Amino acid sequence: MRSELVWRITFLLIVAIGACNPAIGQLKRIFEITEIDGAFHFQVKEEGKTILSEPAEGLWSIGLGWDNNWIKEWKNISPKHFEISGPNHILAGEIEIAGEILSLRDAYAMVKPGVIKCTRRFHWTGEDTLREVTLSVRFSLKSKAVKPFLPGINYYGNPSGARSGNVPVFGNQEGEYHLFEEHRFPMPFAMLEKQGDDGVTSVALHSLPSLVPYANKQDQWWSLGLKGGHETTELVALSGPTASNGMKSVIKAFQEGDIWASYNDAFLNIAPGGIVEKTFYIEVTTGSEKGNSFTGPVHTSIDLFQPVELKTFPPIKDILASKYRFAESRWIEEGKASGFNQFDNALKKYLVLGWVGQAAAPGYAFQVLQDDVGKPSEVMEMAQKSLDFISDIKMREDGKGFYTWYSVDDQKWVERIWKPMPEILSQGQAMNNMANAINASKKSGLDPQKWESFLKKASDFHAQRILSLEWKPESTNEGFFIAPLCKASQILKDDKYLQAALKAGDHYYNRHFNMEEPYWGGTLDASCEDKEGAYAAFQGFLELFETIGDEKFLEAAQHACDVVLSYTYVWDVDMPAGRLRDHDFKTSGWTAVSVQNMHIDVYGVLMTPEIYRLGQITEDEQLKELALLMYRSCGQLIDPYGSQGEQPQQTNYSQAHVEGKNPLQFRGGYIEDWTVFWITAHFLNGAAGLKELGVEIE
């Protein structure tokens, strides 16, 4: 006769749709352990309906053997024992393997409303080594109609990047895995958003990242991600195996082309008496809007890891001193040209606006920071000369705006030297730099007359283009025009600029807020979901809110900011021997680039004023603290000349194929010879923006 006993814990009453949004209702949600015929089973229910459960095979799955690049077979079991000890609800059981025993134990406890912590313990009691074994964590959502969210890796399916063939994708076919090393996750969680007739539900599996003991491979970590089932989709963590794009035992190693590298034999060989423990967290959210449920896990990840610790990082003033020293080394005055070289002056001489050149940025920053760098007259002269030169910009003959590259040797404006194209997003960034410089001149006393002429010429062109019926931007890159057009409408007293900004803001709000098309295309070398695209929208939405006070744009700014934050490391990745380990490098506060370019860089420092300002508006101290962490943490790795390279390698990824080098040797390395000027310019811009918001540079 079937017997059944049920233990229930109500673990969430208030449902919130975002970290900064108010509660929208009350629901009865329970974490339930049920005993059926002597076996215990796990599920999460809401109002009596199952949201998340153990797989049909049972709560625990152990992979045995290795064949054809993957786990040979699975052995599954349900717990046989249950007890309560303080806040912990403990399940225990045993699996017999080759006549010996692997004992298992789960300890569940609520750590915050809606989030349950579990530590899973695997103890091999056999007298011989347990070879070629894989440990797992699996939970099942009974739906195939889901959208994945894996920070830094997969944003609601990567629909834009998927067209290139250079990014991870998940087809959710039965038996298909989508698994990545934990050090690839800025925020270590995998989430599924279910979009059905009964509303939006999301489930997330957060992991405490770690290397795996008894690993067969050197530098082997737990992997995290998803698995397709028959009528289900699973959240999964495995003790090493990786997979994506329908392939098993692979990792994304390169930017484009043959982007995958082999990652085979990622199993364990557990010694007699060996114990492995894995800590993870389960989070369930209901009641959010479509495309918005990721915001809960983003802020839960910040809460879990509490990354703000500033004592070990360089102070802003020291970072500025280094960056000013480097900026001086890039200053050029030759012929008509005055400005900051994108490259080392000994290599080639180009003054480049936007993207990696940012020649217009110091003209604003130096006005605000003149006293902080200790050379007021010198920096003010450079600000005036550089922006006066840029103001005499040349419009493109093809009617696509203005040139962004100036060849100092040829003394003329030219096309980009590789993959020539009109850099639309760079034009928006240059306009924003100029608008900021004009506003700063009201206090500094510099002459903005030529700068205003540039801003008017550029704003007239792009406002007319955006307001035309033919305007159909390919990606989120044109979000970079929203902020400068808002500022131009106030500086130049012309309402058409604001109308263009509003049109662009509405366009991107309607296009991205439900995440059917996530923010993308904000870099020039990666046509995919990226933090720069999210930042373009975030910057624009926030400026629209500041300009007209429409709460819709504040909500949109929070949404885009949360996407930006999902690219931000909230934990410190343990590094193997190498350049990063040499410096005791900490990843907290650094941002991954995109789902295609999976290295970290200092681009996040440019975003810190907007993140800090959003914290001021919403009275969110955590956002303000994160902004300061992002800025100061990125001050690591500055060399004696004030220089930094573009690509610290926190994971097994390189920007380009390296002949003869094993991709598994990339991690812990540092590409420091690509020292384009944006790295310095963004530090200057970020510090100026923070100072104007009241942050003490000292």
Side-chain angles (χ1 to χ4, degrees), residues 300-476:
T300 293
S301 192
I302 296 170
D303 290 340
L304 290 174
F305 288 93
Q306 294 292 309
V308 179
E309 174 52 67
L310 300 176
K311 293 179 182 178
T312 59
F313 299 129
I316 297 176
K317 190 170 183 66
D318 289 355
I319 295 172
L320 276 181
S322 297
K323 292 305 174 185
Y324 175 70
R325 189 162 62 251
F326 188 78
E328 277 188 310
S329 73
R330 290 291 175 89
W331 176 254
I332 290 177
E333 282 190 83
E334 293 185 21
K336 296 181 295 183
S338 295
F340 299 90
N341 189 8
Q342 175 170 271
F343 305 103
D344 186 309
N345 291 347
L347 298 177
K348 45 196 168 189
K349 298 177 182 178
Y350 287 89
L351 308 184
V352 179
L353 306 182
W355 198 39
V356 294
Q358 297 296 331
Y364 152 66
F366 282 169
Q367 293 182 75
V368 179
L369 301 171
Q370 54 179 301
D371 295 327
D372 300 287
V373 298
K375 297 183 178 181
S377 60
E378 183 176 313
V379 299
M380 294 290 274
E381 182 180 4
M382 286 193 286
Q384 187 76 62
K385 285 183 176 180
S386 65
L387 295 184
D388 283 353
F389 168 72
I390 290 168
S391 295
D392 191 25
I393 198 80
K394 180 182 178 182
M395 300 301 288
R396 296 176 58 89
E397 294 82 358
D398 58 8
K400 295 182 180 179
F402 52 86
Y403 282 95
T404 55
W405 283 64
Y406 186 85
S407 170
V408 176
D409 290 338
D410 297 327
Q411 290 286 298
K412 66 179 182 180
W413 292 97
V414 297
E415 291 281 6
R416 188 170 73 165
I417 60 175
W418 66 85
K419 295 182 180 179
M421 67 172 69
E423 294 180 2
I424 293 295
L425 70 86
S426 294
Q427 295 180 45
Q429 292 173 359
M431 289 167 62
N432 197 55
N433 288 332
M434 195 67 78
N436 287 338
I438 293 168
N439 284 331
S441 72
K442 297 171 185 176
K443 290 184 178 180
S444 74
L446 293 187
D447 181 5
Q449 185 175 348
K450 290 183 178 180
W451 314 346
E452 290 176 356
S453 176
F454 165 89
L455 186 61
K456 184 178 189 310
K457 183 190 302 184
S459 298
D460 282 342
F461 176 86
H462 286 294
Q464 181 179 359
R465 185 178 60 83
I466 291 171
L467 289 170
S468 72
L469 295 176
E470 290 75 29
W471 183 67
K472 294 179 180 179
E474 180 183 11
S475 71
T476 328

Side-chain angles (χ1 to χ4, degrees), residues 116-291:
I116 292 176
K117 176 183 179 181
C118 178
T119 298
R120 179 164 293 180
R121 175 186 171 98
F122 307 85
H123 181 194
W124 175 238
T125 64
E127 295 182 359
D128 297 318
T129 297
L130 178 58
R131 300 190 179 280
E132 297 188 356
V133 65
T134 301
L135 310 179
S136 75
V137 174
R138 298 171 58 203
F139 292 97
S140 179
L141 178 69
K142 193 172 182 179
S143 177
K144 303 286 281 186
V146 294
K147 295 287 188 179
F149 189 98
L150 281 62
I153 299 168
N154 192 324
Y155 288 79
Y156 285 75
N158 292 340
S160 299
R163 294 196 293 266
S164 71
N166 294 325
V167 305
V169 293
F170 176 55
N172 204 5
Q173 300 299 308
E174 185 173 357
E176 178 184 358
Y177 287 91
H178 194 60
L179 292 162
F180 304 86
E181 317 100 295
E182 287 177 327
H183 49 69
R184 207 172 285 261
F185 288 78
M187 293 182 172
F189 71 82
M191 189 203 84
L192 294 168
E193 182 176 294
K194 176 185 174 183
Q195 303 170 354
D197 296 336
D198 54 350
V200 175
T201 299
S202 74
V203 293
L205 177 64
H206 298 262
S207 175
L208 182 63
S210 63
L211 286 153
V212 193
Y214 310 107
N216 184 61
K217 300 178 73 67
Q218 185 177 3
D219 195 33
Q220 182 175 322
W221 289 64
W222 281 83
S223 60
L224 180 63
L226 311 171
K227 179 192 175 187
H230 174 56
E231 294 180 344
T232 62
T233 311
E234 292 185 10
L235 299 166
V236 178
L238 298 183
S239 57
T242 59
S244 189
N245 294 48
M247 299 175 287
K248 294 177 178 177
S249 294
V250 296
I251 56 172
K252 181 171 170 25
F254 303 106
Q255 183 192 47
E256 56 188 1
D258 185 9
I259 66 172
W260 302 100
S262 173
Y263 193 77
N264 198 13
D265 300 328
F267 48 77
L268 306 185
N269 297 304
I270 305 178
I275 296 174
V276 179
E277 292 188 307
K278 183 62 177 173
T279 297
F280 57 89
Y281 303 81
I282 300 165
E283 182 174 14
V284 178
T285 304
T286 58
S288 64
E289 293 183 63
K290 180 180 178 181

